[in-house]
Coordinates of all heavy atoms in Angstrom, one line a residue:
D62 N -12.0 21.1 -2.2 CA -11.6 22.5 -2.2 C -10.4 22.7 -3.2 O -9.5 21.9 -3.3 CB -11.1 22.9 -0.8 CG -10.8 24.4 -0.7 OD1 -11.6 25.2 -1.2 OD2 -9.7 24.7 -0.2
Q63 N -10.4 23.8 -3.9 CA -9.4 24.1 -4.8 C -8.1 24.5 -4.2 O -7.0 24.0 -4.5 CB -9.8 25.2 -5.8 CG -8.7 25.7 -6.7 CD -8.0 24.6 -7.6 OE1 -8.5 23.5 -7.7 NE2 -6.9 25.0 -8.2
R64 N -8.1 25.4 -3.2 CA -6.9 25.9 -2.6 C -6.4 25.1 -1.5 O -6.8 25.4 -0.3 CB -7.1 27.4 -2.2 CG -7.4 28.3 -3.4 CD -7.3 29.8 -3.0 NE -7.5 30.7 -4.1 CZ -7.4 32.0 -4.0 NH1 -7.0 32.5 -2.9 NH2 -7.6 32.7 -5.1
V71 N -8.0 20.5 -8.2 CA -8.0 19.9 -9.6 C -7.1 18.7 -9.6 O -7.4 17.7 -10.2 CB -7.6 21.0 -10.6 CG1 -7.5 20.3 -12.0 CG2 -8.7 22.0 -10.7
L88 N -16.1 21.0 -7.3 CA -15.0 21.8 -6.9 C -15.5 23.0 -6.1 O -16.4 23.7 -6.5 CB -14.2 22.3 -8.1 CG -12.8 22.9 -7.8 CD1 -11.8 21.8 -7.3 CD2 -12.2 23.6 -9.0
L89 N -14.9 23.1 -4.8 CA -15.3 24.3 -4.0 C -14.3 25.4 -4.2 O -13.1 25.2 -4.1 CB -15.2 23.9 -2.5 CG -16.1 22.7 -2.1 CD1 -15.9 22.3 -0.6 CD2 -17.6 23.0 -2.4
T90 N -14.8 26.5 -4.7 CA -13.9 27.6 -5.1 C -14.3 28.9 -4.5 O -15.4 29.1 -4.0 CB -13.9 27.8 -6.7 OG1 -15.2 28.2 -7.0 CG2 -13.7 26.4 -7.4
A91 N -13.3 29.8 -4.5 CA -13.6 31.2 -4.2 C -13.8 32.0 -5.5 O -13.6 31.5 -6.6 CB -12.4 31.8 -3.5
Y92 N -14.3 33.2 -5.4 CA -14.6 34.0 -6.6 C -13.4 34.2 -7.5 O -13.5 34.2 -8.7 CB -15.1 35.4 -6.2 CG -16.6 35.4 -5.7 CD1 -16.9 35.5 -4.4 CD2 -17.6 35.3 -6.7 CE1 -18.2 35.5 -4.0 CE2 -18.9 35.3 -6.3 CZ -19.2 35.4 -4.9 OH -20.5 35.4 -4.5
A93 N -12.2 34.2 -6.9 CA -10.9 34.4 -7.6 C -10.5 33.1 -8.4 O -9.5 33.1 -9.1 CB -9.8 34.8 -6.7
D94 N -11.2 32.0 -8.2 CA -10.8 30.7 -8.7 C -11.6 30.2 -9.9 O -11.6 29.0 -10.2 CB -10.8 29.6 -7.6 CG -9.8 29.9 -6.5 OD1 -8.8 30.5 -6.8 OD2 -10.1 29.4 -5.4
T95 N -12.2 31.1 -10.6 CA -13.0 30.7 -11.7 C -12.2 30.1 -12.8 O -12.6 29.2 -13.5 CB -13.8 31.9 -12.3 OG1 -12.9 33.0 -12.6 CG2 -14.9 32.4 -11.3
D96 N -10.9 30.6 -13.0 CA -10.1 29.9 -14.0 C -9.8 28.5 -13.7 O -9.7 27.6 -14.5 CB -8.7 30.7 -14.1 CG -8.9 32.0 -14.8 OD1 -9.9 32.2 -15.5 OD2 -8.0 32.9 -14.7
A97 N -9.6 28.2 -12.4 CA -9.4 26.8 -11.9 C -10.6 26.0 -12.2 O -10.5 24.8 -12.6 CB -9.1 26.8 -10.4
A98 N -11.8 26.5 -12.1 CA -13.0 25.8 -12.3 C -13.1 25.4 -13.8 O -13.5 24.3 -14.2 CB -14.2 26.6 -11.9
I99 N -12.7 26.4 -14.7 CA -12.8 26.1 -16.1 C -11.8 25.1 -16.5 O -12.0 24.1 -17.3 CB -12.5 27.4 -16.9 CG1 -13.7 28.4 -16.7 CG2 -12.3 27.1 -18.4 CD1 -13.4 29.8 -17.2
T100 N -10.6 25.1 -15.8 CA -9.6 24.1 -16.1 C -10.1 22.7 -15.6 O -9.9 21.7 -16.3 CB -8.3 24.4 -15.3 OG1 -7.7 25.6 -15.8 CG2 -7.3 23.3 -15.4
A101 N -10.8 22.7 -14.5 CA -11.3 21.4 -14.0 C -12.4 20.8 -14.9 O -12.4 19.6 -15.1 CB -11.9 21.6 -12.6
I102 N -13.1 21.7 -15.5 CA -14.1 21.2 -16.5 C -13.5 20.4 -17.6 O -13.9 19.4 -18.1 CB -15.0 22.4 -17.0 CG1 -15.9 22.9 -15.9 CG2 -15.9 21.9 -18.2 CD1 -16.6 24.2 -16.3
N103 N -12.3 21.0 -18.1 CA -11.6 20.3 -19.2 C -10.8 19.1 -18.8 O -10.7 18.1 -19.5 CB -10.7 21.4 -19.9 CG -11.5 22.4 -20.6 OD1 -12.5 22.2 -21.1 ND2 -11.0 23.7 -20.5
V104 N -10.1 19.2 -17.6 CA -9.2 18.2 -17.2 C -9.8 17.0 -16.5 O -9.5 15.9 -16.7 CB -8.1 18.8 -16.3 CG1 -7.1 17.8 -15.7 CG2 -7.3 19.9 -17.0
L107 N -15.4 18.1 -14.8 CA -16.1 18.5 -13.5 C -17.6 18.6 -13.8 O -18.1 19.0 -14.8 CB -15.6 19.9 -13.2 CG -15.9 20.4 -11.8 CD1 -15.2 19.6 -10.7 CD2 -15.6 21.9 -11.7
H109 N -19.7 20.1 -11.4 CA -20.3 21.3 -10.8 C -19.2 22.0 -10.0 O -18.2 21.4 -9.5 CB -21.5 21.0 -9.9 CG -22.4 22.2 -9.7 ND1 -23.5 22.5 -10.5 CD2 -22.3 23.2 -8.8 CE1 -24.1 23.6 -10.0 NE2 -23.4 24.1 -9.0
Y110 N -19.2 23.3 -9.9 CA -18.4 24.0 -9.0 C -19.2 25.0 -8.1 O -20.2 25.6 -8.6 CB -17.2 24.7 -9.6 CG -17.5 26.0 -10.4 CD1 -17.6 27.2 -9.9 CD2 -17.8 25.9 -11.8 CE1 -17.8 28.4 -10.6 CE2 -18.1 27.0 -12.6 CZ -18.1 28.2 -12.0 OH -18.4 29.3 -12.7
L111 N -18.9 25.0 -6.8 CA -19.6 25.8 -5.8 C -18.8 26.9 -5.3 O -17.6 26.7 -5.0 CB -20.0 24.9 -4.7 CG -21.2 23.9 -4.9 CD1 -21.3 23.0 -3.7 CD2 -22.5 24.7 -5.1
L112 N -19.3 28.1 -5.3 CA -18.6 29.2 -4.7 C -18.8 29.3 -3.2 O -20.0 29.1 -2.7 CB -19.1 30.6 -5.3 CG -18.8 30.8 -6.8 CD1 -19.4 32.1 -7.3 CD2 -17.3 30.8 -7.0
K113 N -17.7 29.4 -2.4 CA -17.8 29.5 -1.0 C -18.2 30.9 -0.6 O -17.6 31.9 -1.2 CB -16.5 29.0 -0.3 CG -16.2 27.5 -0.6 CD -15.1 27.0 0.2 CE -13.8 27.6 -0.1 NZ -12.7 27.0 0.6

Side-chain angles (χ1 to χ4, degrees):
D62 182 48
Q63 169 59 14
R64 295 192 179 188
V71 173
L88 193 69
L89 303 176
T90 67
Y92 281 105
D94 293 331
T95 53
D96 287 344
I99 293 171
T100 297
I102 292 171
N103 293 325
V104 174
L107 192 70
H109 200 92
Y110 70 91
L111 285 172
L112 294 176
K113 297 191 293 186

